[in-house]
Every structure is written in C-alpha cells, then in structure tokens.
Amino acid sequence: MSADVEREAMEYDVVIVGAGPAGLSAAIRLKQLAAEAGAEINVAVLEKGSEVGAHILSGAVIDPSGINELLPDWKALGVPLETKVTRDKFVMLGPQGELDISFLPFPKWMLNHGNYIASLGNVCRWLGQHAESLGVEIYPGMAASEVVYNEDGSVKGVVAGVFGIGKDGEPTGDFQPGIELHAKYTFISEGVRGSLSKQIQAKFGLTEGREPQKFGIGIKELWQVPDAVFEPGLTQHTFGWPLDNATGGGSFMYHFGDNYVAIGFVLHLNYKNPWLSPFDEFQRFKTHPTIRAYLEGGKRISYGARAITEGGAQSLPQLYFPGGVLLGCSAGMVNVPRIKGSHNAVKSGILAAEAAFAAISEGRSGDALTSYEDAYKTSSIHKELWNVRNFKPLWSKFGTIPGLVLGGVDAMIATLLGGWSPWGTLKHGKTDAESTGLAKDYKPIVYPKPDNEFSFDKLSSVFLSATNHDENQPAHLRLKDPTVPISVNLPRFGEPARLYCPAGVYEVLYDEAGQNPKFQINFQNCVHCKTCDIKDPSQNIVWTTPQGGDGPNYPNM
C-alpha cells in the first residue's frame, strides 16, 4: 500500500518510537543538552498506546540510578517512585510448604536496598509530562507501522498514524494514510520484540555473530489488600513450585502505595513441555498457602502480561544502524538475576541522546552513531550485564536449584575480578521456539478450575487489562502460512499457541463430532505481550502493530 499512497511528511532532528523509560529519557536528555548549548533541537515521540504509560508493564522494583543521572533533583520534581524497599524475602516453594532462604549470603546487587517499588507506567506518565514541558512533541495513539528509508538505504524515519484499513485490507470511509516522520536520527525504543526493531535488525544484520535473544513471559496482577496482610516496602521472590527444576522461572510480590500488592510470575520461554500454560501456572501459584495469605481479603484490580528479554550481554545486537539506534528493551538490556531493566533503559536513552546531539551539532545526519555503542561498552549497563552474562545459560543448563547457585557464584566472581569468569562466556544456542518439545513426549497438564477468589480465567483477566481493538481492521497477528497451525503445530506440538498465550487469543475449534479442527485468532483479546511471535515452534506467527490507541490500557502497572 505504501508505494501507492501519498503522505504528508514532518521533519525533526530526532524521532523516537516508543514512550517508555528509554525513549522518554532520550527525549528529555536531548532537550537538556540543547538548553545547555543554547541551541534548538526538534524531538518527536510516537506512542502506540492510547496514552503514555498505557502499554507499560513491569514488576516493578526500580533502581533509581538512571533517574538520578537524568534528573538529579527528581525527588523535588515529584517523580512517582512511591515506596522505598524495606525488606527483601527469598523463598523456595514446595507443593504445600516453604523454605525461607533470605538468610543466605545473596550478593548485594541482588538485594533491593535503596530501590523503590512503583508503577513504571505512572513513572512514564510523569516523564512524558516533563518531556512535554521541555518542548518535546509526544503523539500518543500513533502506532509507527513502517520504516522509511533514504535512497542510500539508511533509515529516514517512520510512518505513523495509519487508520481506517478494513478487515479485507482495503481503505474504509474513515481511512487516514498516516504521515511520514523524517529525522536526522531515529531512535527505536519499542520495548521487547518490537515489530520495527525486528525489521531493522534483519535488514542491517545487527544480530550477526551474536547469540539468539532469550525471553521470558511476565504475567502480573495488581491487588489491593487489607491492612492486616499489607507490609509496605516488602519485596518477595520465590522459586520452585509450581514449576519443576527443569523449567525456569519464579515469582515476585511487591507491597507499595495505597495497600497495593503487585504479584506476578515470570516463566522462561525456553521451556520444553508444549502442554504447559504460563497463565495457569501463575493462577495455580497464587493458591499456595504462603502466597494466598498475602492476598486474603484483597481484590484483584488489574492484569497484564509482557515478554521480557533474558539473553543478556551475549545476545545484544549491534546497537546502531545507518540513521538510528536501538534503546533499552529493544536491544535487550534487562539484568536477569536482578529482574531489572528500567535503570538501564534510562541510561541507554541518555547515551543515545548524547551521541545524537554531538552528531547533529557537527552537521551530521543519517550516518551510523558508532559513538553510542562505544559509550555503551564503557558504561554501567555493559559492566552490569557482562558480570551476569552466564546466569541465564547456567540456569538453563543445570536447572533451577543448581543453576541459581552456579549462576550466583559465577556472577560474584565476575564482579570481584572485573568481568572474568571461569566459564568464559557461555552460549544460549537454541532460540526459545526451537526449545519446544514434541507433544508425544510429554503428558498433558490438567490445571485446576479457577476458584474466582485467588485464581481466575483468561477472559475475566483480559477484561481487567481494559484491552480494546477496533474489530474492523486486519488482524495484527499474521500467519505466514495459514495451514501450519492445524497441519504442523497441532499434530506435532498440540498447537501450544492456545496455551502459551495469556489472553485467550488463539483457539482450536472442532465441529459437533469433534472433527475438522479450525484455528481461530481472537485478536481483540491481545495484550501485546509478543509471546506468540517468540514461542511459536514453527515461527509462523508475526506480531505487527494494530492501529494506534488499540491494545491494553494499564492503570498503575
């Protein structure tokens, strides 16, 4: 369609795709640098959610180091980092009991002293307002759906704001062709597994010589609980039940704000059993006596899910390409053992802004910002990720208990010895899709029915995410080959899409005789977690951007 449609174009110095912590920090830093230099810089931020923060989901215990650097007076400015961590608790769960392992000598970087429990979505809302006060132009509800290239092949900008394409792919009476936003440099900060960052990484070969990216799925609920079970500042992480030792993952629970309990479950997507359902494992987890005690008498008020990058230093792509850079989770800057990435996202935004501002000040545009990657290599981000680079591979190789011990020891050695590890740098090998086993080799899992007190079904959960998609548009979940789900995935893998999706998007339907299976996509339910794009064993599902403003509308997540 793009070749046949004429669009208006808007020119900027920098266009930023995604109003998360990385993109907004970059925008703020660009304006700070311009003010310091007595110069002007035009910055636009595009956000596919209905508002800034609508699609942001994180635990979240936030390391304030990034905010400290970006806005040293953040407390006076009112950044909503709500509750200081007061107690760390680590627990191994069995089917009915628990073992509190908080007494073990955890490395300091795994503890949360000096960190804050907050809603990352609300932090981004604040950062968005602050960016606008500095003159940044923010466009919510504007999905960036396409990359625009210069004649020399460098990135020129993006297309955003396409509306009114009908189910049949043809323009409706409400059609809007969108606009092209051109920039001297384009920053891609879409978060995990972004559709444009996937295209750019493939086009420019940014992952050549790197390990495959690894992922987890994080599923989160926000509860409001009575005073009797509320402990402001408590962070608790669990390992073990309901997962077996060979299946990586664990839980988090954070008490903050107005009697809020953020509770969630992270499951590594390299799990093998295709009958496993991350959503149902999370619901089952909450029925454990140790966990339900914290939710007793409470009310579930929000739900969401999001993929998490877990590959670490050896999976980071090249961070620059002709005409732009990758920021934050678009590059994969999460520290797995710390379960944190927002501070690194903020720092990456600062580094990218400084590289771009220097280039623009020299009259450059559209070239490769190699100075950004050079700055990353000497930054706190690289040091942090490099020291824990073997944590995930050791966990995957040896299982939860041995892997956590070995990974922790390895990271402590690397921290003490300037990054040296007796293991060297371990590889991940397979992608998460390739890790999926055959259905015939595993027993189907029968999950208990929800009790609607502590455990719930998918549809009532999606309702709490306030997800909405205009039904008269093409499904943004595309199949490369529509026959694969039934002809390949169903007989070989039991069609795991119906299980790994935490929103009930995918179903296999049968006729009255239990024959003639049909694959159905309920794209209206999609919470934009991207798990299907990652875990589909045939790599047949492609997540693309729906029209702007669609998707979840997360409050306080």
Side-chain angles (χ1 to χ4, degrees):
M1 183 186 71
S2 341
D4 305 320
V5 172
E6 289 188 12
R7 296 187 175 98
E8 294 182 9
M10 298 173 68
E11 304 289 336
Y12 290 91
D13 292 311
V14 177
V15 167
I16 300 171
V17 180
L24 292 170
S25 297
I28 290 169
R29 185 64 184 138
L30 284 164
K31 285 294 186 178
Q32 289 174 339
L33 291 165
E36 291 165 12
E40 289 290 328
I41 191 162
N42 300 316
V43 183
V45 178
L46 301 170
E47 168 53 44
K48 67 183 174 67
S50 60
E51 63 171 355
V52 173
H55 290 177
I56 298 291
L57 184 142
S58 181
V61 172
I62 297 174
D63 176 344
S65 59
I67 296 287
N68 283 339
E69 183 175 348
L70 181 70
L71 300 166
D73 56 345
W74 64 265
K75 289 184 181 179
L77 289 170
V79 177
L81 295 183
E82 293 194 35
T83 304
K84 205 162 190 175
V85 174
T86 57
R87 183 162 76 102
D88 276 305
K89 189 176 178 184
F90 297 91
V91 178
M92 288 297 299
L93 292 182
Q96 288 298 319
E98 65 162 275
L99 175 64
D100 190 332
I101 57 173
S102 307
F103 66 89
L104 293 175
F106 286 91
K108 285 185 179 179
W109 47 261
M110 278 192 72
L111 303 177
N112 287 299
H113 177 75
N115 295 332
Y116 291 82
I117 308 170
S119 158
L120 187 60
N122 289 342
V123 171
C124 288
R125 289 180 177 95
W126 187 95
L127 289 172
Q129 292 168 2
H130 187 69
E132 286 185 315
S133 75
L134 299 177
V136 175
E137 296 177 30
I138 299 181
Y139 299 102
M142 291 282 280
S145 55
E146 188 180 334
V147 181
V148 180
Y149 297 96
N150 290 302
E151 288 185 7
D152 64 1
S154 62
V155 170
K156 186 177 186 178
V158 295
V159 173
V162 178
F163 291 93
I165 303 292
K167 282 183 180 180
D168 57 2
E170 296 298 319
T172 68
D174 299 322
F175 175 66
Q176 296 177 38
I179 57 174
E180 291 189 7
L181 291 94
H182 299 165
K184 293 172 181 173
Y185 297 102
T186 301
F187 291 5
I188 304 296
S189 55
E190 302 171 296
V192 179
R193 197 74 167 191
S195 51
L196 298 189
S197 56
K198 270 183 65 179
Q199 294 172 33
I200 287 170
Q201 288 180 54
K203 180 177 176 65
F204 295 107
L206 304 186
T207 60
E208 289 177 10
R210 317 292 169 109
E211 283 296 291
Q213 187 58 265
K214 306 294 285 183
F215 300 90
I217 178 174
I219 305 174
K220 176 184 175 181
E221 294 175 351
L222 188 66
W223 288 62
Q224 201 159 29
V225 301
D227 289 339
V229 296
F230 181 63
E231 184 185 331
L234 170 66
T235 74
Q236 175 176 287
H237 295 92
T238 75
F239 307 97
W241 191 89
L243 303 179
D244 59 30
N245 189 61
T247 306
S251 82
F252 62 84
M253 181 178 65
Y254 308 141
H255 291 223
F256 74 108
D258 185 17
N259 285 51
Y260 291 134
V261 171
I263 186 163
F265 203 74
V266 177
L267 200 145
H268 301 177
L269 287 175
N270 62 353
Y271 66 83
K272 296 178 181 177
N273 187 344
W275 302 106
L276 188 148
S277 164
F279 174 88
D280 291 299
E281 295 292 348
F282 174 42
Q283 299 305 317
R284 182 161 64 163
F285 154 79
K286 288 182 294 166
T287 65
H288 192 283
T290 296
I291 306 306
R292 64 190 293 160
Y294 284 105
L295 304 176
E296 202 78 51
K299 181 182 180 182
R300 188 177 71 142
I301 57 178
S302 193
Y303 167 85
R306 194 74 177 90
I308 303 165
T309 52
E310 295 185 340
Q314 56 269 62
S315 296
L316 255 68
Q318 180 178 296
L319 300 178
Y320 62 88
F321 50 87
V325 294
L326 302 172
L327 305 183
C329 283
S330 285
M333 295 180 179
V334 169
N335 181 323
V336 173
R338 290 191 75 196
I339 325 176
K340 290 179 181 61
S342 61
H343 64 298
N344 287 339
V346 171
K347 178 69 173 177
S348 73
I350 293 170
L351 296 178
E354 291 171 350
F357 186 80
I360 291 168
S361 299
E362 295 169 2
R364 291 161 47 199
S365 68
D367 59 343
L369 287 174
T370 56
S371 58
Y372 168 53
E373 182 137 350
D374 293 340
Y376 156 75
K377 289 176 181 176
T378 60
S379 73
S380 58
I381 310 173
H382 178 268
K383 181 179 179 181
E384 184 177 318
L385 296 183
W386 188 250
N387 287 344
V388 301
R389 66 191 183 278
N390 291 330
F391 197 93
K392 168 73 174 180
L394 287 168
W395 192 343
S396 298
K397 182 177 178 64
F398 292 104
T400 296
I401 296 175
L404 285 175
V405 173
L406 288 169
V409 170
D410 179 79
M412 284 193 280
I413 292 171
T415 301
L416 289 170
L417 300 180
W420 180 85
S421 163
W423 300 91
T425 300
L426 296 175
K427 296 183 176 182
H428 298 301
K430 294 179 180 179
T431 67
D432 293 327
E434 291 167 338
S435 299
T436 311
L438 297 176
K440 67 180 178 62
D441 295 333
Y442 296 87
K443 289 183 179 179
I445 302 172
V446 179
Y447 289 102
K449 290 183 178 180
D451 60 22
N452 295 316
E453 183 181 3
F454 299 101
S455 59
F456 305 89
D457 64 17
K458 286 183 180 178
L459 293 185
S460 67
S461 300
V462 172
F463 177 79
L464 291 180
S465 70
T467 293
N468 182 62
H469 293 86
D470 184 346
E471 296 186 16
N472 188 29
Q473 64 178 307
H476 62 281
L477 303 160
R478 313 244 173 107
L479 301 179
K480 295 176 184 175
D481 182 343
T483 69
V484 163
I486 300 303
S487 65
V488 178
N489 284 358
L490 186 60
R492 286 177 58 80
F493 306 103
E495 185 41 90
R498 61 196 176 86
L499 294 168
Y500 59 60
C501 173
V505 170
Y506 302 101
E507 293 182 280
V508 176
L509 304 177
Y510 295 86
D511 61 21
E512 291 181 0
Q515 303 294 321
N516 300 313
K518 176 187 174 185
F519 189 65
Q520 179 164 301
I521 301 177
N522 307 306
F523 76 87
Q524 298 90 342
N525 292 358
C526 179
V527 294
H528 298 196
C529 74
K530 317 287 181 67
T531 303
C532 55
D533 194 289
I534 297 162
K535 186 60 177 171
D536 176 30
S538 299
Q539 286 295 274
N540 188 52
I541 300 174
V542 180
W543 195 97
T544 64
T545 307
Q547 68 181 24
D550 285 1
N553 286 278
Y554 292 136
N556 301 317
M557 290 290 267

Tab-separated table of all heavy atoms in Angstrom, residues 443-471:
chain	number	residue	atom	x	y	z
A	443	LYS	N	3.323	-35.446	29.011
A	443	LYS	CA	1.941	-35.669	29.418
A	443	LYS	C	1.198	-34.334	29.452
A	443	LYS	O	1.716	-33.350	29.957
A	443	LYS	CB	1.890	-36.300	30.812
A	443	LYS	CG	2.352	-37.750	30.868
A	443	LYS	CD	2.189	-38.305	32.278
A	443	LYS	CE	2.632	-39.766	32.334
A	443	LYS	NZ	2.502	-40.303	33.718
A	444	PRO	N	-0.028	-34.304	28.926
A	444	PRO	CA	-0.834	-33.090	29.056
A	444	PRO	C	-1.017	-32.728	30.536
A	444	PRO	O	-1.081	-33.595	31.401
A	444	PRO	CB	-2.162	-33.474	28.406
A	444	PRO	CG	-1.813	-34.574	27.451
A	444	PRO	CD	-0.703	-35.336	28.114
A	445	ILE	N	-1.061	-31.438	30.801
A	445	ILE	CA	-1.217	-30.943	32.169
A	445	ILE	C	-2.678	-30.586	32.398
A	445	ILE	O	-3.276	-29.842	31.605
A	445	ILE	CB	-0.331	-29.711	32.412
A	445	ILE	CG1	1.139	-30.057	32.143
A	445	ILE	CG2	-0.499	-29.190	33.843
A	445	ILE	CD1	2.068	-28.859	32.179
A	446	VAL	N	-3.260	-31.136	33.455
A	446	VAL	CA	-4.641	-30.799	33.809
A	446	VAL	C	-4.586	-29.749	34.923
A	446	VAL	O	-4.144	-30.024	36.043
A	446	VAL	CB	-5.417	-32.042	34.291
A	446	VAL	CG1	-6.842	-31.652	34.676
A	446	VAL	CG2	-5.423	-33.114	33.205
A	447	TYR	N	-5.008	-28.550	34.600
A	447	TYR	CA	-4.971	-27.455	35.571
A	447	TYR	C	-6.285	-27.372	36.340
A	447	TYR	O	-7.358	-27.616	35.771
A	447	TYR	CB	-4.702	-26.125	34.859
A	447	TYR	CG	-3.294	-26.007	34.334
A	447	TYR	CD1	-3.022	-26.195	32.970
A	447	TYR	CD2	-2.231	-25.722	35.186
A	447	TYR	CE1	-1.730	-26.088	32.480
A	447	TYR	CE2	-0.930	-25.621	34.703
A	447	TYR	CZ	-0.683	-25.804	33.352
A	447	TYR	OH	0.594	-25.706	32.877
A	448	PRO	N	-6.233	-27.031	37.630
A	448	PRO	CA	-7.475	-26.897	38.400
A	448	PRO	C	-8.323	-25.746	37.878
A	448	PRO	O	-7.794	-24.771	37.329
A	448	PRO	CB	-6.975	-26.614	39.823
A	448	PRO	CG	-5.582	-26.103	39.659
A	448	PRO	CD	-5.034	-26.755	38.434
A	449	LYS	N	-9.630	-25.886	38.039
A	449	LYS	CA	-10.529	-24.807	37.631
A	449	LYS	C	-10.327	-23.598	38.540
A	449	LYS	O	-10.034	-23.751	39.727
A	449	LYS	CB	-11.987	-25.279	37.703
A	449	LYS	CG	-12.345	-26.304	36.640
A	449	LYS	CD	-13.817	-26.674	36.717
A	449	LYS	CE	-14.185	-27.678	35.623
A	449	LYS	NZ	-15.620	-28.065	35.682
A	450	PRO	N	-10.486	-22.386	38.009
A	450	PRO	CA	-10.314	-21.206	38.858
A	450	PRO	C	-11.347	-21.163	39.973
A	450	PRO	O	-12.506	-21.551	39.771
A	450	PRO	CB	-10.482	-20.042	37.879
A	450	PRO	CG	-11.174	-20.602	36.683
A	450	PRO	CD	-10.787	-22.044	36.610
A	451	ASP	N	-10.905	-20.679	41.141
A	451	ASP	CA	-11.834	-20.561	42.271
A	451	ASP	C	-12.471	-19.177	42.338
A	451	ASP	O	-13.338	-18.923	43.168
A	451	ASP	CB	-11.121	-20.889	43.588
A	451	ASP	CG	-9.933	-19.968	43.876
A	451	ASP	OD1	-9.875	-18.856	43.327
A	451	ASP	OD2	-9.050	-20.389	44.660
A	452	ASN	N	-12.039	-18.273	41.466
A	452	ASN	CA	-12.560	-16.903	41.395
A	452	ASN	C	-12.367	-16.120	42.688
A	452	ASN	O	-13.013	-15.091	42.897
A	452	ASN	CB	-14.035	-16.895	40.975
A	452	ASN	CG	-14.229	-17.405	39.565
A	452	ASN	OD1	-13.476	-17.041	38.658
A	452	ASN	ND2	-15.203	-18.282	39.362
A	453	GLU	N	-11.472	-16.605	43.532
A	453	GLU	CA	-11.084	-15.867	44.728
A	453	GLU	C	-9.598	-15.528	44.658
A	453	GLU	O	-9.197	-14.388	44.859
A	453	GLU	CB	-11.377	-16.682	45.982
A	453	GLU	CG	-11.059	-15.934	47.268
A	453	GLU	CD	-11.345	-16.772	48.507
A	453	GLU	OE1	-11.736	-17.951	48.376
A	453	GLU	OE2	-11.157	-16.242	49.624
A	454	PHE	N	-8.794	-16.538	44.338
A	454	PHE	CA	-7.364	-16.335	44.150
A	454	PHE	C	-6.937	-16.643	42.711
A	454	PHE	O	-5.959	-16.090	42.235
A	454	PHE	CB	-6.567	-17.220	45.113
A	454	PHE	CG	-6.853	-16.936	46.554
A	454	PHE	CD1	-7.694	-17.758	47.286
A	454	PHE	CD2	-6.304	-15.828	47.187
A	454	PHE	CE1	-7.971	-17.494	48.614
A	454	PHE	CE2	-6.577	-15.558	48.513
A	454	PHE	CZ	-7.410	-16.389	49.235
A	455	SER	N	-7.637	-17.530	42.048
A	455	SER	CA	-7.316	-17.901	40.665
A	455	SER	C	-8.505	-17.592	39.760
A	455	SER	O	-9.663	-17.682	40.184
A	455	SER	CB	-6.951	-19.384	40.584
A	455	SER	OG	-8.008	-20.203	41.040
A	456	PHE	N	-8.192	-17.243	38.500
A	456	PHE	CA	-9.224	-16.729	37.602
A	456	PHE	C	-8.991	-17.259	36.188
A	456	PHE	O	-7.957	-17.855	35.890
A	456	PHE	CB	-9.190	-15.193	37.599
A	456	PHE	CG	-9.323	-14.588	38.968
A	456	PHE	CD1	-8.195	-14.350	39.743
A	456	PHE	CD2	-10.567	-14.281	39.497
A	456	PHE	CE1	-8.304	-13.805	41.019
A	456	PHE	CE2	-10.695	-13.742	40.774
A	456	PHE	CZ	-9.552	-13.501	41.537
A	457	ASP	N	-9.972	-17.031	35.302
A	457	ASP	CA	-9.809	-17.470	33.914
A	457	ASP	C	-9.208	-16.339	33.067
A	457	ASP	O	-9.065	-15.203	33.527
A	457	ASP	CB	-11.137	-17.963	33.338
A	457	ASP	CG	-12.203	-16.876	33.251
A	457	ASP	OD1	-11.860	-15.664	33.333
A	457	ASP	OD2	-13.385	-17.219	33.099
A	458	LYS	N	-8.869	-16.672	31.827
A	458	LYS	CA	-8.198	-15.700	30.971
A	458	LYS	C	-9.093	-14.526	30.588
A	458	LYS	O	-8.649	-13.376	30.581
A	458	LYS	CB	-7.675	-16.391	29.700
A	458	LYS	CG	-6.456	-17.266	29.919
A	458	LYS	CD	-5.954	-17.869	28.611
A	458	LYS	CE	-4.739	-18.749	28.850
A	458	LYS	NZ	-4.244	-19.390	27.608
A	459	LEU	N	-10.345	-14.819	30.267
A	459	LEU	CA	-11.192	-13.745	29.752
A	459	LEU	C	-11.502	-12.700	30.808
A	459	LEU	O	-11.509	-11.496	30.532
A	459	LEU	CB	-12.479	-14.322	29.154
A	459	LEU	CG	-12.282	-15.156	27.876
A	459	LEU	CD1	-13.615	-15.581	27.294
A	459	LEU	CD2	-11.465	-14.388	26.825
A	460	SER	N	-11.762	-13.131	32.055
A	460	SER	CA	-12.011	-12.147	33.113
A	460	SER	C	-10.734	-11.361	33.414
A	460	SER	O	-10.790	-10.197	33.827
A	460	SER	CB	-12.528	-12.829	34.379
A	460	SER	OG	-11.528	-13.655	34.967
A	461	SER	N	-9.589	-11.989	33.193
A	461	SER	CA	-8.318	-11.305	33.398
A	461	SER	C	-8.099	-10.245	32.324
A	461	SER	O	-7.737	-9.103	32.625
A	461	SER	CB	-7.174	-12.324	33.386
A	461	SER	OG	-7.340	-13.281	34.417
A	462	VAL	N	-8.329	-10.624	31.063
A	462	VAL	CA	-8.160	-9.662	29.971
A	462	VAL	C	-9.086	-8.463	30.165
A	462	VAL	O	-8.714	-7.318	29.863
A	462	VAL	CB	-8.416	-10.341	28.609
A	462	VAL	CG1	-8.432	-9.318	27.481
A	462	VAL	CG2	-7.352	-11.391	28.338
A	463	PHE	N	-10.275	-8.692	30.694
A	463	PHE	CA	-11.212	-7.596	30.965
A	463	PHE	C	-10.553	-6.549	31.867
A	463	PHE	O	-10.734	-5.341	31.663
A	463	PHE	CB	-12.489	-8.143	31.618
A	463	PHE	CG	-13.479	-7.083	31.990
A	463	PHE	CD1	-14.298	-6.513	31.038
A	463	PHE	CD2	-13.579	-6.637	33.302
A	463	PHE	CE1	-15.215	-5.515	31.380
A	463	PHE	CE2	-14.488	-5.649	33.654
A	463	PHE	CZ	-15.315	-5.084	32.683
A	464	LEU	N	-9.771	-7.002	32.852
A	464	LEU	CA	-9.126	-6.073	33.791
A	464	LEU	C	-7.968	-5.310	33.155
A	464	LEU	O	-7.474	-4.343	33.747
A	464	LEU	CB	-8.624	-6.830	35.024
A	464	LEU	CG	-9.688	-7.398	35.965
A	464	LEU	CD1	-9.036	-8.120	37.126
A	464	LEU	CD2	-10.607	-6.290	36.484
A	465	SER	N	-7.527	-5.741	31.982
A	465	SER	CA	-6.458	-5.017	31.297
A	465	SER	C	-7.006	-3.875	30.441
A	465	SER	O	-6.228	-3.110	29.857
A	465	SER	CB	-5.659	-5.968	30.412
A	465	SER	OG	-6.435	-6.384	29.298
A	466	ALA	N	-8.345	-3.772	30.371
A	466	ALA	CA	-9.011	-2.738	29.560
A	466	ALA	C	-8.537	-2.774	28.109
A	466	ALA	O	-8.376	-1.748	27.458
A	466	ALA	CB	-8.801	-1.346	30.163
A	467	THR	N	-8.329	-3.991	27.605
A	467	THR	CA	-7.868	-4.156	26.218
A	467	THR	C	-9.004	-3.942	25.231
A	467	THR	O	-10.118	-4.419	25.435
A	467	THR	CB	-7.279	-5.572	26.033
A	467	THR	OG1	-6.089	-5.678	26.811
A	467	THR	CG2	-6.946	-5.854	24.587
A	468	ASN	N	-8.707	-3.225	24.170
A	468	ASN	CA	-9.708	-2.997	23.131
A	468	ASN	C	-9.025	-2.861	21.778
A	468	ASN	O	-7.975	-2.231	21.669
A	468	ASN	CB	-10.512	-1.721	23.422
A	468	ASN	CG	-11.601	-1.493	22.385
A	468	ASN	OD1	-12.507	-2.301	22.243
A	468	ASN	ND2	-11.495	-0.398	21.653
A	469	HIS	N	-9.588	-3.488	20.773
A	469	HIS	CA	-9.137	-3.327	19.393
A	469	HIS	C	-10.356	-3.113	18.504
A	469	HIS	O	-11.366	-3.797	18.668
A	469	HIS	CB	-8.387	-4.574	18.890
A	469	HIS	CG	-7.082	-4.819	19.565
A	469	HIS	ND1	-6.990	-5.518	20.750
A	469	HIS	CD2	-5.813	-4.468	19.224
A	469	HIS	CE1	-5.714	-5.584	21.113
A	469	HIS	NE2	-4.986	-4.963	20.207
A	470	ASP	N	-10.235	-2.181	17.590
A	470	ASP	CA	-11.277	-1.994	16.584
A	470	ASP	C	-11.390	-3.282	15.779
A	470	ASP	O	-10.411	-3.732	15.166
A	470	ASP	CB	-10.910	-0.818	15.681
A	470	ASP	CG	-11.988	-0.495	14.667
A	470	ASP	OD1	-12.904	-1.323	14.468
A	470	ASP	OD2	-11.928	0.592	14.049
A	471	GLU	N	-12.588	-3.888	15.760
A	471	GLU	CA	-12.750	-5.178	15.095
A	471	GLU	C	-12.699	-5.070	13.580
A	471	GLU	O	-12.402	-6.056	12.901
A	471	GLU	CB	-14.063	-5.828	15.544
A	471	GLU	CG	-14.076	-6.171	17.029
A	471	GLU	CD	-15.316	-6.949	17.438
A	471	GLU	OE1	-15.996	-7.484	16.545
A	471	GLU	OE2	-15.588	-7.020	18.647
